[in-house]
Amino acid sequence: MSGTTLLINLAGAIALLLWGSQMICNSLLRGFGSPLRLWLGQHLNNRWLALLCGVGITGVLQSSTAVSLMASSFTAAGTLGLAPALAVMLGANIGSTLVVQLLSLDLSLAAPVALLAGFLCLRLRDDSRFESIGAALIGLGLMLLALGTLGATLGAVEHTPVLRLVMQSLDGDLLLALLVAVVLTWMCHSSVAVVLLVASLAGTGLLSPATSMALVLGVNLGGSLPSLLGASGNVARRLPLGNLLVRLAGVALVLPWIGPLAQLEGVRQLPGALLVVYLHSVFSLVLGLLFIGFTEPMGKLLTRLLPAPPPVTDPGMPLYLDEAGLEVANIGLANAAREALRMADMLSGMLDRVLQLLRTSQVANAEQIRQIDQSLDLLSAAIRAYLADIGKEGISDQDADRSQEILLLVINLEHAGDILSSSLAQLAVRRLRRSEPFSAFELGTLVPLHQELLASLSLAVTVFLREDLATAHQLVARKENVRRLEAAAGREHFRQLREDRSAWAESGDIFQRLLRDYRRVHHHIAALAYPVLERAGERDIEHGYLGDPLAETLPGQSHDTREDSRCAS
């Protein structure tokens, strides 16, 4: 077999190994990422429990990078302290060694069994979680097939003069071997795959014990780089930087002693593949036990090294849309949800300034409302683009539903802000610039409507976060309160106009349009209850919410036409 053919077979086996590992990780996160993330957020306060969680989850996902992304999202959100997150990473490093030990065994018969089981899971039940399990089993089968191909190819490569020359060049320079392993692991984004490759090379006798040990140290160092380079912002970089510092300390302690260790009789008698696997396991286990007691001071040190950035001047700039979250759907959705809640806060701020505009007659409040609306539109566009990127690799049905709920919240909040800025505030300014402040009757009518909107917005946020059916019912029921307030105010206003003919007609028309705008904003807020009602079977798409005759359009659609017709009648 020619050298070119061997190189192609070797590259194909490595690619299949990486693809199988990524397939397992993505499939399990797609099917079980959301409940796993919720469970992690509730059970990671104890450092030893966090260590064990890191071991177990990495053993299942076969990716310490994915665990690092999850833990980083918790620390960035403030739901998990940096100290237990560091304990999770120490456990994740140990968990990756368990995966290497398992895959280093002779599992040739397990490959077809895993492929067959995965195929049956995909075919027997049309369920997203069964599909995720089936895809993960197929990924495991592909990894085992890749390992068989890799072993056969390396057995043939052993006798090629080019590879022997490359290995000999590494054999004399431990630092060069370490750097090669660092770069290779960073390029592959999988320490498991590179350790297995090194073990296969060592098993053929191409690597001396000292070179194998140096390569293993380089793999451990390079495995911490993808999470660090993929993070954006100081807060998100703290955890991967801490993991890198721990591994750097371990490499600095072991590297000077590689020569004497390689000369030990017990080390020389070990088969090359077992030496690689054992060193990888012992290295991570010892680091975990040594540094588990120093997670608190390390957390404080990392906080000082990477302080939180100053507040962003433009509130429309996203704070949590980390690109690393796009690789794990449930983390990306959590980031988008946090930004959507910022939009709710911004809309609440717009409502406060609208009330100040009506009460104080200060036209400068209208400019502030316009600026907040621009920021609201900017943040909405960023969230929608982020959600679109999350779905590129495919997500589970549960995550897809959550993505639609976030999108619904974003769109309705944006539309509500547009009404406040482009219509309601401008109408109020038109009155005030004619030196016609709002009367006591008008303020006495608009302020209760305003309070209804603020209360409904608070309920809408609760529905979005907790998905509570009772709160969704309460939110939709408030639409009738708003309708009654609007109708009563309209009747009383027309009665006053009939009694006082000197009142300016346009002033009355502006007041009526303000009433309508308040109700339009409330409809966009109340629409956020519909996803919960749909899941409970209390609202169908064709006829609207069964308990509310006013809800005749889909959430997010405009109610203007229906509202105008009702007002006219």
Side-chain angles (χ1 to χ4, degrees):
M1 186 181 295
S2 66
T4 303
T5 305
L6 288 174
L7 184 60
I8 293 175
N9 288 336
L10 181 63
I14 295 174
L16 187 61
L17 184 66
L18 293 173
W19 177 253
S21 176
Q22 182 179 359
M23 193 172 179
I24 294 173
C25 179
N26 291 343
S27 300
L28 293 178
L29 287 175
R30 184 166 58 245
F32 305 94
S34 296
L36 178 63
R37 186 176 184 275
L38 179 63
W39 187 89
L40 284 176
Q42 297 174 347
H43 296 85
L44 292 186
N45 293 322
N46 182 275
R47 68 179 68 178
W48 289 102
L49 181 59
L51 179 75
L52 294 176
C53 287
V55 173
I57 296 171
T58 306
V60 174
L61 298 180
Q62 301 193 20
S63 174
S64 58
T65 302
V67 178
S68 174
L69 290 173
M70 282 188 178
S72 296
S73 71
F74 290 136
T75 56
T79 57
L80 178 65
L82 190 55
L86 288 168
V88 171
M89 284 310 307
L90 294 175
N93 298 336
I94 298 173
S96 65
T97 67
L98 300 179
V99 177
V100 171
Q101 292 185 44
L102 177 63
L103 296 178
S104 63
L105 302 176
D106 184 10
L107 300 174
S108 56
L109 184 61
V113 173
L115 291 172
L116 178 60
F119 176 78
L120 292 177
C121 284
L122 287 173
R123 290 293 184 180
L124 289 182
R125 283 194 63 177
D126 186 14
D127 183 87
S128 61
R129 297 202 171 187
F130 272 82
E131 291 176 358
S132 298
I133 295 174
L137 288 173
I138 290 177
L140 177 60
L142 293 178
M143 287 188 70
L144 297 175
L145 285 178
L147 289 174
T149 305
L150 190 62
T153 304
L154 290 175
V157 170
E158 178 184 1
H159 304 289
T160 59
V162 175
L163 184 62
R164 287 187 173 276
L165 180 62
V166 173
M167 293 299 104
Q168 288 174 1
S169 65
L170 293 178
D171 198 25
D173 194 336
L174 299 181
L175 184 59
L176 177 61
L178 183 140
L179 293 177
V180 168
V182 169
V183 174
L184 184 60
T185 308
W186 168 69
M187 293 175 60
C188 294
H189 280 55
S190 175
S191 59
V192 172
V194 181
V195 167
L196 292 172
L197 174 62
V198 174
S200 300
L201 289 171
T204 61
L206 292 174
L207 298 176
S208 66
T211 304
S212 300
M213 296 169 74
L215 289 171
V216 170
L217 295 181
V219 170
N220 279 273
L221 202 56
S224 61
L225 292 180
S227 300
L228 178 61
L229 298 178
S232 61
N234 285 355
V235 178
R237 291 194 182 101
R238 289 173 182 170
L239 180 59
L241 177 60
N243 187 35
L244 176 62
L245 292 177
V246 169
R247 297 194 185 191
L248 270 174
V251 170
L253 289 174
V254 177
L255 186 62
W257 301 96
I258 283 183
L261 288 174
Q263 300 300 321
L264 294 177
E265 188 63 26
V267 173
R268 295 172 62 88
Q269 290 180 355
L270 273 177
L274 287 180
L275 173 62
V276 170
V277 173
Y278 289 167
L279 177 62
H280 183 54
S281 301
V282 171
F283 182 80
S284 297
L285 181 61
V286 171
L287 283 182
L289 296 177
L290 283 178
F291 283 91
I292 189 65
F294 298 95
T295 53
E296 289 288 348
M298 281 188 62
K300 295 178 181 179
L301 174 63
L302 291 169
T303 303
R304 287 196 295 268
L305 291 176
L306 296 173
V312 180
T313 55
D314 187 355
M317 296 299 295
L319 299 179
Y320 309 114
L321 301 184
D322 194 336
E323 292 185 4
L326 298 176
E327 300 180 10
V328 184
N330 59 86
I331 295 177
L333 293 175
N335 294 341
R338 295 178 69 191
E339 294 290 359
L341 293 177
R342 288 185 60 220
M343 289 186 63
D345 292 338
M346 293 164 68
L347 183 67
S348 178
M350 292 182 70
L351 286 169
D352 291 340
R353 283 165 177 78
V354 166
L355 187 59
Q356 293 176 12
L357 176 64
L358 298 177
R359 283 176 168 173
T360 64
S361 302
Q362 294 180 0
V363 181
N365 288 308
E367 177 61 22
Q368 296 178 2
I369 294 170
R370 186 189 65 81
Q371 293 175 356
I372 297 177
D373 182 56
Q374 290 180 346
S375 300
L376 197 71
D377 294 342
L378 178 63
L379 185 56
S380 172
I383 296 173
R384 285 184 273 115
Y386 190 79
L387 290 173
D389 290 337
I390 292 176
K392 285 184 177 180
E393 300 296 332
I395 56 178
S396 66
D397 294 341
Q398 182 181 4
D399 288 339
D401 292 340
R402 186 58 175 170
S403 176
Q404 289 301 312
E405 291 175 8
I406 298 173
L407 185 62
L408 174 70
L409 175 66
V410 168
I411 291 176
N412 277 284
L413 292 178
E414 181 182 5
H415 288 176
D418 291 339
I419 295 172
L420 290 177
S421 175
S422 302
S423 182
L424 196 151
Q426 297 304 316
L427 290 172
V429 168
R430 189 188 304 177
R431 275 279 302 265
L432 298 176
R433 283 179 175 171
R434 293 179 178 271
S435 299
E436 293 185 1
F438 291 93
S439 66
F441 161 75
E442 291 172 331
L443 287 177
T445 301
L446 294 176
V447 170
L449 275 174
H450 194 93
Q451 299 300 327
E452 288 288 329
L453 260 66
L454 288 175
S456 295
L457 181 59
S458 178
L459 288 176
V461 172
T462 303
V463 171
F464 176 73
L465 291 176
R466 298 178 54 189
E467 302 182 6
D468 182 66
L469 182 61
T471 308
H473 279 296
Q474 186 179 356
L475 177 58
V476 174
R478 296 181 69 88
K479 293 172 63 177
E480 180 63 19
N481 296 339
V482 174
R483 188 196 67 80
R484 289 174 180 172
L485 286 173
E486 179 198 20
R491 288 194 299 268
E492 178 63 20
H493 183 256
F494 280 123
R495 186 189 65 78
Q496 292 185 5
L497 286 179
R498 285 194 299 268
E499 294 177 356
D500 184 8
R501 297 292 182 178
S502 63
W504 188 36
E506 185 177 356
S507 298
D509 177 65
I510 288 177
F511 176 71
Q512 292 290 336
R513 293 170 68 181
L514 288 176
L515 293 176
R516 187 197 67 171
D517 284 345
Y518 266 113
R519 193 179 181 196
R520 289 169 60 200
V521 172
H522 190 273
H523 271 291
H524 285 293
I525 295 175
L528 303 177
Y530 294 144
V532 176
L533 298 173
E534 287 176 357
R535 282 196 298 273
E538 301 185 18
R539 180 179 187 273
D540 58 52
I541 294 179
E542 182 177 357
H543 300 99
Y545 172 52
L546 299 180
D548 181 18
L550 296 178
E552 298 169 358
T553 62
L554 293 175
Q557 290 182 335
S558 174
H559 296 76
D560 295 354
T561 304
R562 188 177 71 252
E563 289 301 306
D564 291 343
S565 64
R566 289 185 183 275
C567 289
S569 62

